[in-house]
Amino acid sequence: MRILVLVHEFPPIGGGGGRVAEDICRGLAKRGHEIKVLTSHIKGLPRKEERDGFQIFRLRSARKQSYRASFLSMAFYVLAGFWAGLRFSKHWRPDLIHVHFAVPAGALAWILFKLTGIPYVLTSHLGDVPGGVPEKTKGWFRYVYPFTPLIWKDASRVVVVSRYTRQLAEQYYKVPMEVIPNGIDLTLGNQGPLTIHNPPRIMFAGRFVSQKNPLQIVRALAQLKDLEWECVMLGDGPLFEQVQRSIASYKMEERFTLPGWVTPQDVIQSFGMGDVLFMPSLSEGLPVVGVQALVQGLAIVASQVGGFMDLVENGENGYLFPANNEISMVNALRSLLADHEKLLHARQRSRELVIRFDINSIVDAYEKIFMEMVHP
C-alpha cells in the first residue's frame, strides 16, 4: 500500500502524537508499505529526510518552538500541505491518507478527500477533541468546532487512543470509533533484573505547560524532604523558568535535574535509570511517556485522568490520584519511596503490563484497517 501520513508535528519536534505517528510509520515500512509523511518544518531540520524505510517531507510553517504549535503555524501547515498533498495525489497516487489530529491535519485530509476522493483514516489524540485539553484549545475551538464534525463524519474510519478519548469525543461526534492505544517497541526496554536506585529516582517527561502541571511536582516533593529521592524533569516549555524558581525557593536544587528538551530516544534511555514516573497532569489522551515508563519497568504515580487509567492498576504498578489532589499524590509517593520492596513489586508489575502495548500489535490493528479500506 501507498500511505500518505499527515501530522503537523513529527519527531524531533512536538509531543506524544508525533512519536505515535513515527512508530506506526516505522512498523508499516518494515512490512513493505510505502510511506510518505507531510509535516511542519522548523529551523535546523532538513526539508526532506529518509528514516527507517519511509520519507519525511517538512513544509514551510511559522513554527518557532519545538514544544508548541501556534494557531498560525497550524494554519500555515494546512495551506502548505494543500499544494504538497495535491502533488502527491496526482503523481504518487496514495491508496489512503492516515491523518493524526482532527485539527489541523484533519482539515487538510478532508480537503484532499473532497478534491481527489482519496479516503482517510483519522486518529484522534485527545488534544483535538473539544474539552480534551481546555487550557490549550478552548479559545480556538470556538472558531473551528463548527467545521470539525465534517472531518470526523467523512473519515472512512476513526481511531482514538484511549477509552477516555472516545467517551469525550462521543459527546460531540456521532460516528463509530475504535480504540487503538499508543504502542512501543518492547525491545527498547531493559530486560535485566530490576533494582531500586539509591536514592530512588523520580522521572517526569513532557511539555512544561499547565496541562502537564509541572509546578505541582515541586510542591509535592517539597513535602517529602525527609525521604531520600532525586528527580529528573525532562522537557521544556513556558513554565520551565518558573519551575526552576520554585525548586530554588524550596532549596532543592541538589535534588533536581532539568536537562531541557530531549529526543524520544533520550526519554527511553533516561527512564532506564529511573524508578517512578510522576505525572500530575490535568488531562491526557494515552500518554506516550506512560507507555515508555512501562517498557522500562517504572512504577507510575499519576492523575486519574485520560489514558493513565489504562496504564495503571491502582495499588499494583503504581497509584492514581484525583487531579490536583496534593494530599493523595504525596501519600502515594511516600508509600513507594519509603518501602523499596513495594516499589520493586510495582516496577515488576509495570514490566508485565507493557505487553498490552506492543507496537507490533498496534501496527497489526492499523494494517488491518488499511487493508479493509483498500481491499474491501
Side-chain angles (χ1 to χ4, degrees):
M1 282 184 292
R2 294 185 298 275
I3 304 168
L4 179 62
V5 178
L6 305 180
V7 56
H8 70 291
E9 50 186 32
F10 197 83
I13 67 172
R19 294 197 290 274
V20 172
E22 181 184 33
D23 289 340
I24 296 168
C25 289
R26 183 184 298 112
L28 290 170
K30 285 181 179 178
R31 300 178 184 203
H33 301 291
E34 294 182 57
I35 312 293
K36 297 185 188 293
V37 179
L38 288 184
T39 189
S40 301
H41 181 261
I42 193 170
K43 186 177 180 181
L45 294 180
R47 297 283 185 184
K48 181 179 177 181
E49 180 183 353
E50 295 270 352
R51 182 188 300 178
D52 298 326
F54 62 91
Q55 294 180 307
I56 304 167
F57 298 84
R58 296 188 176 91
L59 309 173
R60 290 185 180 275
S61 75
R63 185 157 185 146
K64 304 295 184 183
Q65 299 165 308
S66 294
Y67 58 82
R68 179 178 177 271
S70 66
F71 187 78
L72 179 63
S73 70
M74 291 190 287
F76 267 80
Y77 169 75
V78 174
L79 182 61
F82 170 74
W83 298 108
L86 283 181
R87 289 196 301 272
F88 281 122
S89 300
K90 180 180 179 180
H91 300 293
W92 186 52
R93 298 183 181 179
D95 296 301
L96 60 92
I97 296 169
H98 185 196
V99 55
H100 294 265
F101 299 100
V103 180
L108 175 56
W110 183 83
I111 294 169
L112 293 175
F113 165 67
K114 287 298 182 180
L115 292 176
T116 68
I118 299 172
Y120 64 94
V121 174
L122 169 63
T123 294
S124 169
H125 298 269
L126 183 68
D128 53 346
V129 178
V133 188
E135 61 274 16
K136 183 172 72 173
T137 59
K138 184 178 180 180
W140 52 265
F141 251 123
R142 289 179 298 179
Y143 305 106
V144 302
Y145 175 69
F147 307 101
T148 54
L150 289 174
I151 296 170
W152 291 68
K153 174 178 175 293
D154 287 338
S156 293
R157 303 282 282 270
V158 175
V159 174
V160 293
V161 297
S162 69
R163 291 173 294 174
Y164 173 75
T165 304
R166 180 171 63 186
Q167 291 168 3
L168 189 61
E170 285 175 341
Q171 299 177 32
Y172 298 90
Y173 308 116
K174 307 305 179 184
V175 298
M177 305 176 197
E178 43 205 305
V179 177
I180 301 178
N182 300 333
I184 194 165
D185 182 352
L186 300 189
T187 64
L188 295 175
N190 177 10
Q191 302 303 314
L194 294 172
T195 59
I196 306 303
H197 294 86
N198 185 22
R201 190 169 295 138
I202 301 163
M203 310 298 298
F204 164 87
R207 295 179 171 99
F208 281 53
V209 295
S210 56
Q211 175 205 349
K212 301 296 184 179
N213 211 7
L215 286 164
Q216 184 61 75
I217 293 174
V218 183
R219 291 193 293 267
L221 291 177
Q223 300 183 45
L224 297 169
K225 285 185 176 181
D226 58 303
L227 297 176
E228 293 293 324
W229 53 265
E230 59 185 30
C231 181
V232 179
M233 298 182 68
L234 306 169
D236 199 353
L239 296 179
F240 188 85
E241 292 183 359
Q242 194 172 343
V243 168
Q244 288 180 310
R245 290 195 295 270
S246 182
I247 292 169
S249 71
Y250 288 109
K251 296 180 171 55
M252 297 191 299
E253 295 95 329
E254 292 184 359
R255 292 200 179 201
F256 278 82
T257 303
L258 279 70
W261 192 257
V262 296
T263 68
Q265 292 74 24
D266 291 332
V267 173
I268 288 284
Q269 189 174 22
S270 296
F271 280 9
M273 298 179 287
D275 296 290
V276 180
L277 177 68
F278 180 26
M279 296 292 292
S281 306
L282 302 180
S283 60
E284 290 284 357
L286 196 292
V288 172
V289 295
V291 182
Q292 291 171 327
L294 290 183
V295 80
Q296 291 291 24
L298 270 62
I300 301 177
V301 177
S303 300
Q304 192 171 350
V305 297
F308 276 122
M309 292 183 283
D310 297 329
L311 297 172
V312 180
E313 290 185 348
N314 206 31
E316 288 295 319
N317 71 316
Y319 294 97
L320 296 171
F321 52 83
N324 257 345
N325 188 320
E326 191 168 292
I327 294 175
S328 295
M329 68 180 77
V330 169
N331 288 341
L333 286 167
R334 182 175 292 278
S335 174
L336 292 173
L337 296 173
D339 187 337
H340 287 194
E341 185 175 336
K342 180 183 291 187
L343 176 54
L344 183 60
H345 169 80
R347 293 198 60 189
Q348 290 168 338
R349 185 59 182 147
S350 282
R351 181 180 278 182
E352 294 168 359
L353 292 175
V354 76
I355 191 66
R356 303 176 184 173
F357 305 96
D358 181 3
I359 189 60
N360 291 309
S361 299
I362 306 308
V363 174
D364 282 345
Y366 276 106
E367 187 177 41
K368 181 174 183 291
I369 289 174
F370 297 161
M371 294 297 290
E372 290 171 351
M373 290 174 57
V374 176
H375 304 291

